[in-house]
Amino acid sequence: MAAFLYRMGRLAFRRRWTVALVWAAVLAAVGLAGMTAPEAEEEPFSMPGIESQEAFDLMEERFPGAAADGATARVVFVSPNGEKVTATENKEAVEAAIAELGDGTQVASTVDPYESGAVSEDGSTAYTTVTYKVDAAGLTDASRSHLEESLEHARDSGLTVEAGGDAMEDMGGPSGTAEAIGVSVAAVVLLITFGSLAAAGLPLLTALIGVGISLFAITALAGPLGLADTTSTVAIMLGLAVGIDYALFIVSRYREERAKGRTAQEAVALATGTAGSAVVFAGLTVVIALAGLSVVGIPMLTEMGLGAAGAVVVGVLIALTLVPAFLGFWPNAILTRKDRKARRAGGTPRETRKVNGGTRWASFVLRRPLPVLLAAVAGLGALALPMTDLQLGMPGDEAKSTETTQRRAYDALAEGFGPGFNGPLTVVVDAKDADDPKAAAETVSERIGGTEGVVSVSPAQFNESGDTAVFSVVPTTAPTGQETKDLVNTIRGDRPGIESEAGATFEVTGTTAMNIDVSEKVQSALVPYLLVVVGLAVILLLVVFRSILIPLKAAAGFLLSVLASLGAVVVVFQQGHGADLLGVETTGPIMSLMPIFLVGIVFGLAMDYEVFLVSRMREAYVHGEQPAQAVTSGFRHSARVVVAAALIMIAVFSGFIGDSDAMIKMIGFGLASAVLLDAFVVRMAIVPAVLALLGERAWWLPKWLDRILPRVDVEGEALTRPADPEAEPAEKNLART
């Protein structure tokens, strides 16, 4: 591996113009394909293998056109000062507002609350549903403006008027603010780390090129493959992350080799052969973690994982080819000011084994490995404890800020009609084989209506064939409450008896049931996913480090950090401790996809840090250093790089905490805390402490396994030879430029 990458780096250095032009051509080609590709149609959320999805599919089959994707806005009217919305003046204001709402060019229909019975028992609240001819993404700015203006005109009458529904969602694309913050912070961190504008700018430049290629490729494929917008969002986030990390690692090693007096070409080749090997295996662990999301069986997660994995592959290829080529264009500009000054004076800088922050920290841990290990594990364990109280769900309008009209509409409906009104269940009765379909549907409706925890059941609506009925069930409790989940399980548990009595089958669906089913599916898939991803990564690290204990230690450390970060998410977003500091106004269940999403992304980044840090220790150990000395060497060369990479990632993810959407806040906080804990507690404290306690045993590998495992030479043993004499003339020529 190291010898092959050594030759690749040297070739990229010598043929730098060819390499640069090839990548420019690739960027231009995918850019043209992406810009000319037809706009992708938005695919509906799908979750195969769960009852609520099967019921929804049955509705689409038996009620063609009824389950259309038209956007809706539920407008709520609340009378002022204890008045009733049925009072003459208020009723006229409501009807005028409904008439104005119905005048929109894209509006399909509106419902009169006084005719449909959409008035609360105390007469304080009424609501209407505005249905549009197009989905939320197809609403024009004029339609959205008309909706907002109609609401304002209704408020002028003295009524409190709020609106929810997907027509009220902001359909604008991502602003790019978080990415801009991440790039800005990355530039500052890289400048501090390298002390050179060129050295700081090169990783950013190559990372942006990789992100551009990945983004255009996903855009071009979005139409044919039906990819969602989230696919490109995650690809950009991770492509930027690993692109900077991998280029940072190779540039750092290049400067180190130049400080030893090597020529530019030889330094590039050695950096690609050694640091490049670590980049390859770090990238493989990320790809395994992301591609492994397909194990869960959720199409959206599969698309996100594969799209991001493709971006990581592009980042690895650019780090191994374009970074060496750019180093060929600016071989001395990347160096430190001291080294550039020495070269201008005709001297050759010598490698110095100076004591830096990394060596001082490593020495501290090596002197006190057991206390450091116990403190780190105890701290992570304490943070992970709230995980035992984890409740999964899909927060809706109730999780939005009270400053939004969607949240105020949610609260008004809950107060006027009961908390369960915002999350009704939908029951689909398949009476195709029943002797009397209407009697069968009525039996199912009566039995479910008599279940404890049900407020009301709507009249059944039949399809044209008369063999399928649909009705709504309003629970007494909120959509995200545990009692509502218990009610769904009770209804399904009573199914055999109800179906036997009715002579027809039924299924429960709706947004609330869908969220419950998704949460259960994700929870059941989490352990298999961990086994697959962690198992493959352990095997890969076994090949890289040729050790039994180090891969196991890496996996255990990752599990500690991810559990601790999930515990921190529970503490803030579910239990509410410190929520005000992050602008979280309402606590509730954790987003269903959060745990598996967090595991997939953080596992890849955590293994990046593991490979970067421990590969230098392994290299020092293989080249003759004692175990403790090898740990210190690894920290001297890699600690600064790992810290810089972690700070960049934390900044990128923290940018999402300022978002107004509670779910985006949750994702940003979870990822930022996970990287913080993994990089600074696990990799910087637990790793050296464990290696210090294990000593020689850390690198033990049974002889029979040593014979079986392939040798990939990540440490660059094949490269410990004098510099290539052919590189000398090239270096002299470059030094003059």
Side-chain angles (χ1 to χ4, degrees), residues 383-406:
L383 280 175
L385 276 178
M387 262 286 293
T388 57
D389 189 37
L390 176 67
Q391 297 176 7
L392 296 181
M394 290 295 287
D397 287 346
E398 77 280 2
K400 289 183 168 64
S401 168
T402 52
E403 296 180 359
T404 64
T405 185
Q406 295 99 315

Side-chain angles (χ1 to χ4, degrees), residues 379-390 560-579 582 584 587-588 590 594 598 657 665-677:
L380 293 177
L383 280 175
L385 276 178
M387 262 286 293
T388 57
D389 189 37
L390 176 67
L560 270 176
S561 61
V562 78
L563 289 175
S565 61
L566 279 173
V569 170
V570 170
V571 167
V572 175
F573 290 88
Q574 184 176 305
Q575 298 177 350
H577 303 295
L582 300 181
V584 179
T587 58
I590 304 304
M594 182 68 186
L598 189 70
I657 298 177
K665 281 181 181 289
M666 191 182 300
I667 291 172
F669 177 80
L671 292 175
S673 60
V675 172
L676 174 68
L677 296 172

Side-chain angles (χ1 to χ4, degrees), residues 48 346 491:
I491 293 174

Side-chain angles (χ1 to χ4, degrees), residues 464-736:
E464 290 185 5
S465 302
D467 59 4
T468 308
V470 174
F471 61 86
S472 295
V473 178
V474 178
T476 58
T477 51
T480 57
Q482 180 61 38
E483 298 87 349
T484 305
K485 180 178 179 180
D486 294 338
L487 174 62
V488 172
N489 292 332
T490 298
I491 293 174
R492 289 172 173 172
D494 294 340
R495 180 170 18 222
I498 298 175
E499 290 180 342
S500 176
E501 181 180 343
T505 62
F506 73 88
E507 292 175 315
V508 182
T509 185
T511 303
T512 300
M514 177 72 80
N515 291 340
I516 292 170
D517 291 346
V518 169
S519 299
E520 291 180 350
K521 181 166 184 175
V522 170
Q523 281 181 307
S524 63
L526 186 56
V527 172
Y529 173 69
L530 277 173
L531 290 176
V532 170
V533 171
V534 175
L536 289 174
V538 165
I539 294 173
L540 189 63
L541 294 178
L542 187 66
V543 173
V544 174
F545 297 127
R546 308 195 72 78
S547 163
I548 292 286
L549 298 178
I550 286 181
L552 295 177
K553 176 266 305 171
F558 157 73
L559 290 175
L560 270 176
S561 61
V562 78
L563 289 175
S565 61
L566 279 173
V569 170
V570 170
V571 167
V572 175
F573 290 88
Q574 184 176 305
Q575 298 177 350
H577 303 295
D580 292 342
L581 299 176
L582 300 181
V584 179
E585 297 187 11
T586 303
T587 58
I590 304 304
M591 184 177 65
S592 298
L593 302 181
M594 182 68 186
I596 210 153
F597 183 76
L598 189 70
V599 167
I601 293 181
V602 175
F603 180 78
L605 297 177
M607 292 304 103
D608 271 7
Y609 303 143
E610 177 76 12
V611 172
F612 288 170
L613 189 61
V614 181
S615 63
R616 289 309 299 265
M617 299 178 189
R618 169 74 180 172
E619 181 179 340
Y621 178 75
V622 167
H623 291 159
E625 293 187 9
Q626 294 299 311
Q629 188 181 0
V631 170
T632 303
S633 295
F635 268 81
R636 178 171 61 251
H637 295 300
S638 298
R640 184 177 62 170
V641 179
V642 171
V643 168
L647 289 175
I648 291 169
M649 291 307 96
I650 292 169
V652 170
F653 298 143
S654 295
F656 292 96
I657 298 177
D659 198 281
S660 59
D661 190 291
M663 289 191 291
I664 300 300
K665 281 181 181 289
M666 191 182 300
I667 291 172
F669 177 80
L671 292 175
S673 60
V675 172
L676 174 68
L677 296 172
D678 194 90
F680 292 99
V681 180
V682 175
R683 309 304 154 191
M684 290 293 172
I686 292 180
V687 167
V690 170
L691 292 179
L693 292 171
L694 292 175
E696 292 279 357
R697 295 185 297 275
W699 309 105
W700 171 77
L701 185 70
K703 291 183 179 179
W704 63 269
L705 188 55
D706 184 54
R707 291 192 297 268
I708 294 174
L709 291 177
R711 294 187 177 275
V712 294
D713 188 23
V714 177
E715 302 81 22
E717 290 180 87
L719 307 180
T720 54
R721 59 177 181 270
D724 184 357
E726 297 179 8
E728 293 293 337
E731 165 60 17
K732 291 177 181 177
N733 291 332
L734 290 167
R736 298 191 189 102

Side-chain angles (χ1 to χ4, degrees), residues 207-296:
L208 291 174
I209 291 172
V211 166
I213 291 172
S214 302
L215 179 60
F216 283 129
I218 291 173
T219 303
L221 295 172
L225 300 182
L227 302 179
D229 291 340
T230 50
T231 304
S232 58
T233 303
V234 176
I236 290 172
M237 181 172 61
L238 286 182
L240 186 63
V242 301
I244 294 175
D245 281 3
Y246 297 163
L248 169 66
F249 200 52
I250 289 178
V251 170
S252 178
R253 186 60 183 261
Y254 168 79
R255 287 175 27 133
E256 181 185 327
E257 296 299 333
R258 290 297 302 275
K260 296 177 181 178
R262 301 189 190 279
T263 64
Q265 180 174 280
E266 182 68 10
V268 165
L270 285 170
T272 309
T274 53
S277 297
V279 165
V280 168
F281 283 98
L284 280 175
T285 59
V286 180
V287 169
I288 287 172
L290 293 171
L293 288 171
S294 58
V295 174
V296 183

